[in-house]
Amino acid sequence: MDLEQALQTFLEESRELLDEMESILLDVEAEQTSAEQLNALFRTMHTIKGSAGLFGLETIVSFAHQAENLLDQLRDGKLALDDELVGLLLRCHDHVKLLIQALTANEALEPLRDEALEAALLGYLAVPQAMQPERHHEDPKPAASQRERWLLSLRFGPDVLRSGLDPSSFIRYLATLGEVEQIHAISCRLPAGADFDAEGNYLRFELLYQSDIDEQSLSEVFEFVREDSELFIWPLKIAAAHLHEACASATPDEAAEVERAWHQMGALGQAFPLENPAAAPDPLLEHPLATPDDEPSLAKPSPAGRADIQAEPAPAADARGGRGGESRFIKVEAGKLDSLINLIGELVIAGAAANLIARRSQQTQLVEATLSIANLIEQIRAGTLSMRMVQIGEIFHRFPRVVRDVSRELGKEIQLRIVGAETELDKSMVEKLGDPLLHIVRNAIDHGIEPTSVRVAGGKPAQGNLWLNAYHESGSVVIEVADDGGGLSRERILAKARQRGLLGEDEEPPDSAVFQQIFEAGFSTAEQVTNLSGRGVGMDVVKRGIEQLHGNIEIDSEAGRGTTFRIRLPLTLAIIDGFLVEVAGSTFVLPLETVIECIELPSGLPENGVHDCINLRGELLPLLHLDHFFELTPTAAARRNVVVSQYGDRKAGLVVDALQGEFQTVIKPLGTLFSTLKAISGSTILGTGEVALILDVPALIQHACRKESERFALPPRADAARPGSPLQGSTP
């Protein structure tokens, strides 16, 4: 592992630890604090501080050390975890996160120091003596009586210097945590002449070390050099029993040197005097990386003996097993996974071409072989896409902190309820959902849920409720953000829309059309502009972000009952199961999950322009003739077909000339020239090499239903679900 890779590992692990810290703090605020939670908080800052020390990140080490001291007193019972202290620890979390972000961007850390926050920490650290329980008032034992003597046998990997890691830096760091009494460098493997490589490591170090930290903390010091290294740590008093283990891979000369060093350190009985004991450790300890009063630190728990770095940490109870257990998970760079999916997309296209050639050849064995290959390709495709699927809880879990901070700033009591966090969605989409959801949640808190006094006066509970819900439906993912607040005011939105010329004075659109007006740029009905949000301010950005993910957003609202924002998204933007249709000699692709059934178009049906409708088993089904819609020259067909499609609870029949069957569709984005097309969502390459357009079925269904509603003057559709029950999985 080179230095840059080690730094990236530190940054990633720090982010994970900070997320865990925030989650714990929000949990303990709502529930009874447990000892395990307090220990986990301490370990989080303890780990970040120690790992930062390895890279000489003094700004992070210094601040994390103060926060660690506070958490240490907290877990020892010298401080009580109240609301004020939780707030301070959350500020510490935010500051360390800011430092990590700056480090990621290669920005200077020193200008980011927060003196006010450091003063608040010091203020807490000055209080505990007066708050200690009686049992802590006894005279403490001298620190030296608690110090343990350790024997460390260290053979760093031969490529440790090429990786940018200096073995002496680890020993200097040990000096900040305790006292290095003796160092013996074993140089038996040092070659002579032309065989010597200046970038290779040939030395082995035997250390006598004294400190009050435990074996696990000592092991963590060497977290980033465990790969290809032999590292052994034992208490001095039992080290003699492990001499054979320490010399297992050593040459006879090296084993003799190790035994002699152990004798001199007293591990094998009476110690031999050193010729110049005072001078032994000095060359490696000239430039310590941190202040001597630093406490034990370092990266995540690992075995104290010989071990490899694992992709996921083993539980502490199993840590001593070394190589015995295998990790269940590995971490893969996202770019590599994207490249793999792109290659599989090309494989799908090549497989379709081979299958077409085989069918044209009419060779039975060749056709069967290509079908087998196509089946395997489909399995590989499904398996690979599943690796890109992540739980939507990855972004849901950001919002407890948002709800806590914003509700307290506004003086409101709000309970966040999360359901369906395990629902999976493509990683690329999850990353882009954060900002739209954040804006909707902040609007719901600021303008959706009423102040406590208003709720109580209206007969509602003082505490408002906010729901985040996710579930799968008809091949899509539905995400709901609902509140039990005052709801949207149809009259105010309608008046504002008419004032801005978005709706005519005589128009009386249904509620769904009225509520969609808040997504217009700059639209707001808020009487007061706050520093948080204004219902409608910036909502155009929300809608645009959702549409870029080929999704849509709907609103249900009832005055006095609450509002539900419902976002519907496709599962993935990479490869889908498609359904090929032919219209006027052109081939189009429909997403298979939107296709319910195919029927023959009844003969003799009069066509009144673009739109018609048929009676489908007692249900009025609006039709959309795609040749008319796209202004294509109609072709004569023996029979025409209707593809019954559904999106949400809306249905429409798409009239086509021919059905060509299922097709694995690799989605290719359209250029910016076609970005404004509403009925086309992308393109794909057929087995023949031709390009087929992928239809935007939700937009087509919405268009057909709206035109039919206007044509027959249908009354506004009644909303199917009330916002008060947003977690039922119903859709408008």
Side-chain angles (χ1 to χ4, degrees):
M1 179 183 293
D2 59 28
L3 187 60
E4 180 60 29
Q5 185 179 354
L7 181 60
Q8 293 304 316
T9 300
F10 161 66
L11 293 174
E12 182 177 350
E13 292 177 351
S14 296
R15 295 186 195 101
E16 294 174 357
L17 288 167
L18 289 171
D19 288 343
E20 179 185 359
M21 178 182 181
E22 184 178 55
S23 176
I24 292 173
L25 287 172
L26 295 175
D27 286 344
V28 300
E29 188 176 42
E31 303 173 0
Q32 186 69 26
T33 307
S34 68
E36 178 54 35
Q37 288 174 319
L38 296 180
N39 287 331
L41 286 173
F42 175 82
R43 286 195 302 269
T44 296
M45 202 58 66
H46 172 86
T47 299
I48 292 175
K49 179 193 105 171
S51 298
L54 285 179
F55 298 98
L57 304 173
E58 184 58 33
T59 302
I60 297 179
V61 170
S62 175
F63 180 80
H65 180 59
Q66 296 183 51
E68 181 189 32
N69 288 339
L70 179 62
L71 290 167
D72 190 30
Q73 295 191 5
L74 184 62
R75 68 173 183 167
D76 287 345
K78 300 176 183 178
L79 288 173
L81 187 61
D82 55 16
D83 187 66
E84 183 179 354
L85 186 52
V86 168
L88 177 62
L89 291 174
L90 285 172
R91 288 173 60 195
C92 292
H93 160 277
D94 293 344
H95 184 62
V96 176
K97 189 173 184 179
L98 178 64
L99 294 175
I100 295 298
Q101 290 173 346
L103 185 61
T104 304
N106 293 321
E107 298 175 357
L109 302 184
E110 186 62 27
L112 299 177
R113 288 193 59 180
D114 190 336
E115 295 182 358
L117 181 56
E118 292 177 5
L121 281 173
L122 292 174
Y124 260 96
L125 292 173
V127 172
Q129 292 299 324
M131 298 179 61
Q132 286 183 358
E134 288 294 326
R135 58 186 176 87
H136 290 292
H137 283 248
E138 302 173 3
D139 293 334
K141 296 181 181 180
S145 66
Q146 303 175 4
R147 296 168 75 89
E148 179 80 51
R149 301 182 82 194
W150 301 91
L151 191 149
L152 283 66
S153 182
L154 312 174
R155 174 177 290 287
F156 295 99
D159 296 324
V160 64
L161 296 173
R162 293 188 183 91
S163 300
L165 297 172
D166 181 3
S168 65
S169 67
F170 293 90
I171 299 175
R172 288 198 300 269
Y173 189 79
L174 283 174
T176 70
L177 306 177
E179 179 184 355
V180 180
E181 297 184 4
Q182 295 183 31
I183 298 179
H184 297 265
I186 310 299
S187 58
C188 297
R189 298 192 183 187
L190 189 66
D195 294 332
F196 178 77
D197 181 358
E199 293 184 344
N201 175 53
Y202 303 101
L203 297 181
R204 171 177 184 157
F205 300 98
E206 307 298 314
L207 278 73
L208 179 59
Y209 182 66
Q210 185 177 171
S211 178
D212 57 0
I213 64 176
D214 56 21
E215 183 177 352
Q216 178 174 299
S217 298
L218 273 175
S219 175
E220 291 170 358
V221 171
F222 307 99
E223 177 70 20
F224 293 105
V225 288
R226 290 193 172 280
E227 192 172 2
D228 299 327
S229 299
E230 295 181 18
L231 309 171
F232 301 96
I233 301 173
W234 295 290
L236 182 64
K237 56 191 175 186
I238 66 169
H242 298 278
L243 178 61
H244 178 73
E245 181 181 351
C247 297
S249 62
T251 63
D253 290 344
E254 182 180 335
E257 287 292 325
V258 170
E259 184 175 357
R260 180 176 182 275
W262 284 33
H263 269 295
Q264 291 177 337
M265 292 187 292
L268 303 179
Q270 181 65 36
F272 296 154
L274 290 173
E275 296 180 2
N276 188 8
D282 288 351
L284 293 176
L285 304 179
E286 292 180 8
H287 305 288
L289 295 177
T291 56
D293 61 344
D294 272 1
E295 294 188 2
S297 52
L298 271 173
K300 61 173 77 160
S302 306
R306 179 177 177 178
D308 289 339
I309 291 182
Q310 295 183 349
E312 289 287 328
D318 299 327
R320 292 182 177 271
R323 298 179 186 266
E326 294 185 3
S327 173
R328 293 178 57 229
F329 303 97
I330 61 172
K331 294 179 181 178
V332 180
E333 186 181 347
K336 293 181 179 179
L337 194 56
D338 292 339
S339 298
L340 176 61
I341 290 176
N342 290 336
L343 288 174
I344 291 176
E346 297 302 318
L347 184 61
V348 168
I349 294 172
N355 187 36
L356 180 62
I357 294 172
R359 282 186 294 164
R360 287 176 177 174
S361 70
Q362 297 184 347
Q363 298 182 36
T364 305
Q365 292 182 336
L366 182 58
V367 171
E368 290 178 353
T370 55
L371 288 177
S372 297
I373 293 174
N375 183 47
L376 291 173
I377 291 175
E378 184 172 356
Q379 293 180 44
I380 294 173
R381 182 208 71 172
T384 308
L385 286 178
S386 68
M387 290 192 292
R388 265 212 349 194
M389 306 296 280
V390 298
Q391 293 187 352
I392 202 167
E394 184 176 307
I395 54 173
F396 275 11
H397 292 156
R398 303 176 189 174
F399 292 107
R401 175 69 185 279
V402 173
V403 173
R404 174 195 182 275
D405 292 347
V406 176
S407 61
R408 293 188 178 215
E409 180 178 346
L410 297 174
K412 298 181 180 180
E413 297 180 34
I414 298 177
Q415 175 68 42
L416 176 64
R417 306 178 189 275
I418 295 177
V419 179
E422 69 283 355
T423 304
E424 292 187 332
L425 187 62
D426 192 290
K427 179 175 176 60
S428 63
M429 302 177 71
V430 169
E431 293 170 346
K432 297 175 182 177
L433 267 177
D435 289 342
L437 284 178
L438 175 63
H439 196 92
I440 295 173
V441 167
R442 289 166 67 97
N443 267 282
I445 298 172
D446 192 9
H447 296 285
I449 298 178
E450 314 95 324
T452 302
S453 58
V454 176
R455 292 180 63 85
V456 173
K460 290 184 176 181
Q463 185 182 71
N465 291 291
L466 183 65
W467 290 272
L468 282 175
N469 182 32
Y471 54 90
H472 288 117
E473 182 182 86
S474 301
S476 301
V477 172
V478 180
I479 302 170
E480 294 178 338
V481 181
D483 63 67
D484 63 351
L488 295 177
S489 172
R490 171 188 165 89
E491 291 73 20
R492 291 171 62 187
I493 295 174
L494 190 59
K496 186 72 173 182
R498 287 171 174 166
Q499 178 185 340
R500 298 189 57 188
L502 300 174
L503 294 174
E505 292 294 334
D506 299 329
E507 285 187 72
E508 287 295 336
D511 289 349
S512 58
V514 173
F515 296 150
Q516 286 291 319
Q517 300 302 314
I518 71 171
F519 295 115
E520 295 294 330
F523 192 98
S524 176
T525 61
E527 296 178 355
Q528 288 184 325
V529 177
T530 71
N531 63 337
L532 292 172
S533 58
R535 181 74 77 177
V537 175
M539 294 297 282
D540 59 317
V541 179
V542 171
K543 185 174 184 180
R544 188 160 59 248
I546 298 301
E547 289 178 343
Q548 287 175 352
L549 298 175
H550 302 293
N552 67 357
I553 182 169
E554 303 167 340
I555 303 175
D556 288 341
S557 186
E558 185 176 347
R561 302 291 295 275
T563 302
T564 299
F565 288 83
R566 188 171 293 107
I567 299 170
R568 195 180 304 272
L569 298 165
L571 282 174
T572 180
L573 298 177
I575 306 174
I576 63 171
D577 289 318
F579 188 74
L580 292 178
V581 297
E582 183 178 329
V583 179
S586 300
T587 303
F588 295 92
V589 181
L590 304 174
L592 186 61
E593 68 266 10
T594 65
V595 178
I596 300 177
E597 61 179 315
C598 298
I599 61 175
E600 183 178 356
L601 182 68
S603 59
L605 188 69
E607 295 186 12
N608 297 317
V610 177
H611 300 279
D612 304 285
C613 59
I614 61 173
N615 186 337
L616 180 64
R617 295 184 290 276
E619 181 181 3
L620 185 66
L621 182 72
L623 299 180
L624 180 61
H625 293 260
L626 293 182
D627 53 357
H628 294 168
F629 181 80
F630 289 114
E631 299 182 357
L632 302 175
T633 303
T635 58
R639 54 172 282 180
R640 307 189 76 188
N641 301 275
V642 178
V643 181
V644 181
S645 302
Q646 180 174 0
Y647 188 73
D649 67 344
R650 294 185 175 92
K651 292 181 182 179
L654 306 179
V655 181
V656 301
D657 295 337
L659 309 174
Q660 297 183 359
E662 297 182 19
F663 178 73
Q664 291 187 53
T665 304
V666 180
I667 300 176
K668 301 289 186 180
L670 295 171
T672 55
L673 180 64
F674 306 100
S675 59
T676 57
L677 293 179
K678 296 298 184 182
I680 306 296
S681 61
S683 62
T684 189
I685 301 176
L686 304 177
T688 60
E690 298 176 339
V691 175
L693 297 177
I694 302 172
L695 299 182
D696 186 353
V697 173
L700 292 174
I701 292 177
Q702 184 180 17
H703 179 79
C705 294
R706 185 175 67 250
K707 290 298 182 182
E708 287 304 300
S709 177
E710 293 173 356
R711 178 182 176 191
F712 294 106
L714 293 175
R717 181 178 61 86
D719 288 325
R722 64 178 181 83
S725 57
L727 306 181
Q728 302 298 318
S730 59
T731 54

